[in-house]
Amino acid sequence: MLNIGLALSGGGARGIYHIGVLKALEEHALRPTVVSGTSAGALVATLYAHGLPADELKKIAASTRWFNFLKPGLPSRGLIGMEYMEQVLRQYLPEDRFEALQIPCYVTATNVSCGILRIFNTGEIIRPTLASASVPMLFKPIKIDGELYLDGGIIMNLPAQVLRDRCDFLIGVNLTPVVALADADLNSGLKILTRVLELSIDNVSQSQKQLCHLLIESPEIARISKFDLKEHEQLYQMGYLKATSAIRNSGLLA
């Protein structure tokens, strides 16, 4: 039996693309034996590892708007807390332990106190997952073991390295491809800053992409904002169709 690893990148509301990829894997009877996730990818990875199929994850995304916590804008008194996402995770993860998951799962988060990446795969699961999805300057850091943690994407947005030696075939799903932009798309300080951050993330992700036997990404996803909550069906279909094509051309079905 081929041990398949699945690494899911961060990407905000684009995370619903991951669910489309999972649906394609299910339809081809390809079940990952180990998963990893960063940020939005961590949210999907933990719930999938718990045993929720793609159809159920899609219903959750559509009915409870579990990416609503990504709405832009800061409250007047400072950073946003993660209470909403914590409620969602506790609803679907009744046992707050990695050991209770059906398949092994690895979640990345950045220890901003020490400036290092930490990979969580034992003990409590909800706080590390929240930390992995805590976007800097938007959400409050999550305190774990007395230290502060933020988005794992700061250091490793595509957690492929985490799984490379834990599987026979590694599939990576990247939600942050870099595409050329017109001058009009870089006409403000915020847009330029966003572009600089994207380029930095992409530069770090290049080495992670090379570790994957199969990389699934769609350049057209770049036109959808990481904070756009209205495109969930399009993102799902985009992930499903891209993964279906990639799987059929990968040799996995031979």
Side-chain angles (χ1 to χ4, degrees):
M1 177 180 175
L2 188 67
N3 291 318
I4 298 175
L6 180 65
L8 305 178
S9 86
R14 294 175 185 171
I16 298 170
Y17 181 101
H18 288 321
I19 303 175
V21 171
L22 290 171
K23 181 63 175 178
L25 289 171
E26 289 178 1
E27 288 189 350
H28 290 87
L30 297 171
R31 179 166 174 77
T33 54
V34 61
V35 296
S36 64
T38 294
S39 200
L43 298 173
V44 176
T46 54
L47 293 176
Y48 180 74
H50 174 60
L52 296 179
D55 286 345
E56 183 65 21
L57 291 174
K58 187 172 185 284
K59 289 179 182 178
I60 293 171
S63 63
T64 65
R65 299 289 182 156
W66 61 319
F67 287 105
N68 264 0
F69 75 106
L70 288 169
K71 284 183 177 178
L74 297 175
S76 60
R77 293 189 178 182
L79 300 178
I80 302 171
M82 295 289 279
E83 290 82 6
Y84 173 77
M85 271 312 306
E86 182 175 357
Q87 292 174 7
V88 173
L89 290 177
R90 291 197 181 280
Q91 178 181 354
Y92 294 100
L93 296 172
E95 293 188 65
D96 187 11
R97 299 183 301 112
F98 278 94
E99 293 81 1
L101 300 176
Q102 291 188 12
I103 60 175
C105 178
Y106 296 80
V107 168
T108 68
T110 300
N111 183 323
V112 291
S113 300
C114 300
I116 60 173
L117 182 75
R118 181 170 172 184
I119 300 167
F120 295 87
N121 74 311
T122 61
E124 65 174 325
I125 190 172
I126 291 178
R127 280 198 298 169
T129 302
L130 294 175
S132 185
S134 294
V135 180
M137 305 305 295
L138 183 59
F139 297 106
K140 297 175 182 177
I142 302 294
K143 183 170 285 189
I144 302 174
D145 298 331
E147 296 181 320
L148 298 178
Y149 286 83
L150 283 171
D151 199 316
I154 297 170
I155 295 178
M156 184 183 289
N157 195 55
L158 176 62
Q161 182 180 340
V162 178
L163 301 184
R164 190 63 179 85
D165 296 329
R166 294 183 168 93
C167 61
D168 303 315
F169 192 95
L170 178 56
I171 301 172
V173 186
N174 180 44
L175 302 181
T176 57
V178 169
V179 298
L181 296 179
D183 290 352
D185 295 319
L186 298 169
N187 58 5
S188 72
L190 179 59
K191 290 180 179 179
I192 291 175
L193 177 59
T194 300
R195 180 62 166 179
V196 168
L197 293 174
E198 288 176 346
L199 292 174
S200 178
I201 289 173
D202 182 70
N203 181 61
V204 174
S205 295
Q206 289 303 317
S207 61
Q208 299 299 312
K209 292 182 183 182
Q210 293 173 13
L211 295 174
C212 300
H213 296 97
L214 176 63
L215 179 67
I216 298 173
E217 65 176 1
S218 301
E220 59 268 30
I221 203 175
R223 68 177 179 77
I224 301 177
S225 169
K226 299 179 186 69
F227 300 100
D228 191 341
L229 303 168
K230 301 185 298 295
E231 302 291 341
H232 58 88
E233 183 62 33
Q234 184 176 357
L235 285 161
Y236 173 85
Q237 291 297 330
M238 193 182 297
Y240 172 77
L241 293 174
K242 185 67 176 182
T244 298
S245 175
I247 290 167
R248 291 174 178 173
N249 292 312
S250 68
L252 276 172
L253 304 178

